[in-house]
Amino acid sequence: MDIILCGYKGRMGQAVANAAKNFKGMKIVAGVDTKEDFSGEYPIYSDMDKIAEETDVIIDFSNPALLKSLLGFAVERKVPAVICTTGFSAEQTEEIKQASKCVPILYSRNMSLGINLLVELSKIATKILGENFDVEIIEKHHNKKIDAPSGTALMLAEEISEEMPKKAEFIYDRSKERKPRTKNEIGIHSVRGGTIAGDHDVIFAGNKEIITLSHHAESREIFAMGALRAAEYLEQVQVAGFYTMKDVIKNF
């Protein structure tokens, strides 16, 4: 499988590049980043329109600003794409869904198998515990991460909200509010520091008891391996559509 890797020089891009070396049958043929570089084992382009290499799949760990050119490239050349970038606007998410009508696209704000299991467990807990438990989400990441809250925290909140009696209100900062917490709130809190790869806690706080579901990432390698598994899945599917890591997990 030949791969074009967007965001090649970023931390996750490098993690994917290293993981691909040990993934049988996979090869990166070109990268995309802010600065061109043709001195390595494969070319790094600053513009997707310049890419001459043939590819089987795109893996994207870049920046929301690249989305339009990435989707244009994928649709024009009929290339499946695994989109792992976070921080997209609602309009950009809709653009991804529209493009998926033409080519297979897998979009997930977290590529970890464990995180996607955490999502499912949180949904089950919400169904069982109902309005008797308040939900708070705490996410922790390294000091270089730009977006806050994390895409994973938002994914958790959105999935949990679907299981609540009525749509939840996401609260990011309580310092400006002097009032009791309401039942349909989900508090989302961000911590940035050091080299934390990614921690997520979902707290269900009830009357004299607390349930906490947690996921701790020790290395970015787990996200890189998830992205490569997603790329394998799309190559097998070969049918235009909007896919998530749930589809990959079902395929195990």
Side-chain angles (χ1 to χ4, degrees), residues 48-49 58 68-79 99 102-103:
M48 295 201 69
D49 290 336
I58 302 164
K68 193 171 290 293
S69 61
L70 185 154
L71 293 178
F73 181 95
V75 170
E76 181 180 347
R77 302 202 189 185
K78 302 298 180 185
V79 178
C102 303
V103 292

Side-chain angles (χ1 to χ4, degrees), residues 104-118:
I105 293 181
L106 188 146
Y107 171 51
S108 178
R109 287 172 284 190
N110 193 300
M111 305 306 296
S112 160
L113 175 63
I115 276 290
N116 284 276
L117 176 58
L118 176 64

Side-chain angles (χ1 to χ4, degrees), residues 61 84-87 107-112 114-119 122 137-141 145 147-160 170 186 188-190 192 197-202 214-217 222-223:
F61 274 103
C84 319
T85 297
T86 60
Y107 171 51
S108 178
R109 287 172 284 190
N110 193 300
M111 305 306 296
S112 160
I115 276 290
N116 284 276
L117 176 58
L118 176 64
V119 170
S122 298
I137 297 171
I138 302 173
E139 57 95 352
K140 306 171 188 176
H141 284 86
K145 186 170 179 62
D147 56 317
S150 69
T152 302
L154 290 172
M155 177 175 69
L156 281 161
E158 289 165 4
E159 295 281 353
I160 290 169
F170 299 165
I186 297 179
I188 305 175
H189 314 276
S190 300
R192 296 289 176 267
D199 290 357
H200 292 84
D201 297 330
V202 183
S214 300
H215 179 270
H216 170 67
I222 64 171
F223 309 120

Side-chain angles (χ1 to χ4, degrees), residues 87-181:
F88 290 124
S89 66
E91 291 76 13
Q92 288 177 310
T93 302
E94 183 59 31
E95 288 175 12
I96 295 172
K97 291 179 179 179
Q98 288 300 317
S100 72
K101 295 177 180 179
C102 303
V103 292
I105 293 181
L106 188 146
Y107 171 51
S108 178
R109 287 172 284 190
N110 193 300
M111 305 306 296
S112 160
L113 175 63
I115 276 290
N116 284 276
L117 176 58
L118 176 64
V119 170
E120 295 306 311
L121 292 174
S122 298
K123 291 172 69 175
I124 292 170
T126 305
K127 286 181 183 178
I128 295 171
L129 300 174
E131 291 187 327
N132 295 321
F133 284 73
D134 299 323
V135 183
E136 296 282 310
I137 297 171
I138 302 173
E139 57 95 352
K140 306 171 188 176
H141 284 86
H142 54 87
N143 57 21
K144 304 298 182 184
K145 186 170 179 62
I146 297 173
D147 56 317
S150 69
T152 302
L154 290 172
M155 177 175 69
L156 281 161
E158 289 165 4
E159 295 281 353
I160 290 169
S161 178
E162 290 182 4
E163 305 301 330
M164 297 173 74
K166 61 179 180 179
K167 187 175 176 63
E169 179 185 5
F170 299 165
I171 303 296
Y172 306 103
D173 180 10
R174 298 190 187 279
S175 64
K176 298 176 182 177
E177 299 286 345
R178 296 184 59 84
K179 63 180 183 180
R181 188 188 201 284

Side-chain angles (χ1 to χ4, degrees), residues 233-251:
Y233 174 77
L234 285 191
E235 189 182 45
Q236 293 170 10
V237 172
Q238 289 294 325
V239 176
F242 184 80
Y243 302 93
T244 69
M245 284 300 288
K246 290 181 186 177
D247 299 299
V248 179
I249 292 170
K250 290 176 185 176
N251 200 47

Side-chain angles (χ1 to χ4, degrees), residues 17-49:
N18 290 330
K21 292 176 183 177
N22 301 315
F23 217 100
K24 188 176 179 181
M26 290 194 171
K27 180 178 66 175
I28 296 173
V29 295
V32 180
D33 216 291
T34 53
K35 292 183 180 179
E36 291 188 346
D37 185 354
F38 301 103
S39 62
E41 55 184 310
Y42 37 78
I44 309 300
Y45 297 95
S46 61
D47 187 336
M48 295 201 69
D49 290 336

